[in-house]
Amino acid sequence: MEGHTVGVIGNNPLTLAGCLDINASTKAARFVRFCDTPTAAKLLFAYAQANVPKITVITRKAYGGAYDVMSSKHLRGDVNYAWPGAEVAVMGAKGATEILYSGKDLEQHTAEYSERFANPMVVAQRGFIDEIIDPADTRRLICKDLEVLRTKDLPNIPRKHTNMPL
């Protein structure tokens, strides 16, 4: 971007509804490690230890662990954006309401849960994302952020490339 080599990871909502399975996580972890070192690792471990610039754009759904492992603020993500229609929550509305309300009035509770939790406003208010952005501005903002982060100097954390959890 802007004449510089960058690594980009995304998940495809047309494949497994965008869920991160074992193979996708392993593939992404290897790529993250490749950007930082030539060693392969599990995705969460790789993101947590990577010192490269980390920019996240939530375009659709980010539920539970998938939100965390896609370079969230909790894993030292540098910049985190969400598109207006993004959903960020512990789990999807249908699954959450089935657990919370034991199958009673599911349609009503699912709609309430979606309105209350499955939108980027909640996570923006909590500081988990930096900004809700117009999709048309995505490339421009990423390029700007990569320019700022080009000189990112994050000292190596102790025992940086330790044995990953298997």
Side-chain angles (χ1 to χ4, degrees):
M1 293 192 140
E2 301 286 316
H4 298 277
T5 303
V6 299
V8 177
I9 293 180
N11 50 347
N12 182 353
L14 299 178
T15 303
L16 297 174
C19 293
L20 294 174
D21 64 5
I22 293 169
N23 292 334
S25 295
T26 300
K27 181 179 178 182
R30 285 193 174 118
F31 183 72
V32 170
R33 284 293 194 187
F34 173 77
C35 289
D36 205 38
T37 71
T39 307
K42 297 287 184 188
L43 186 56
L44 179 64
F45 198 71
Y47 268 124
Q49 291 192 334
N51 290 338
V52 297
K54 294 182 272 187
I55 300 169
T56 299
V57 181
I58 301 169
T59 60
R60 191 165 172 246
K61 296 178 182 178
Y63 294 146
Y67 159 74
D68 282 326
V69 302
M70 292 300 286
S71 194
S72 67
K73 289 288 186 187
H74 304 87
L75 288 177
R76 302 185 311 154
D78 296 304
V79 184
N80 295 76
Y81 296 120
W83 285 0
E87 298 179 16
V88 183
V90 173
M91 62 190 316
K94 186 173 187 266
T97 54
E98 286 175 355
I99 293 169
L100 293 170
Y101 300 103
S102 303
K104 297 178 180 109
D105 300 319
L106 281 183
E107 286 185 29
Q108 176 190 344
H109 292 299
T110 300
E112 290 170 358
Y113 183 95
S114 292
E115 185 177 326
R116 185 169 179 198
F117 297 111
N119 67 72
M121 289 303 296
V122 175
V123 290
Q125 290 169 343
R126 294 184 178 157
F128 299 159
I129 60 172
D130 297 301
E131 190 175 347
I132 299 169
I133 64 170
D134 184 325
D137 294 332
T138 304
R139 181 183 175 86
R140 179 183 57 79
L141 290 169
I142 290 173
C143 289
K144 180 187 71 131
D145 293 332
L146 287 170
E147 178 67 29
V148 170
L149 293 167
R150 179 173 296 141
T151 58
K152 175 181 175 179
D153 184 25
L154 185 64
N156 285 342
I157 56 176
R159 298 171 57 178
K160 181 174 190 261
H161 293 292
T162 62
N163 286 330
M164 66 180 180
L166 298 173

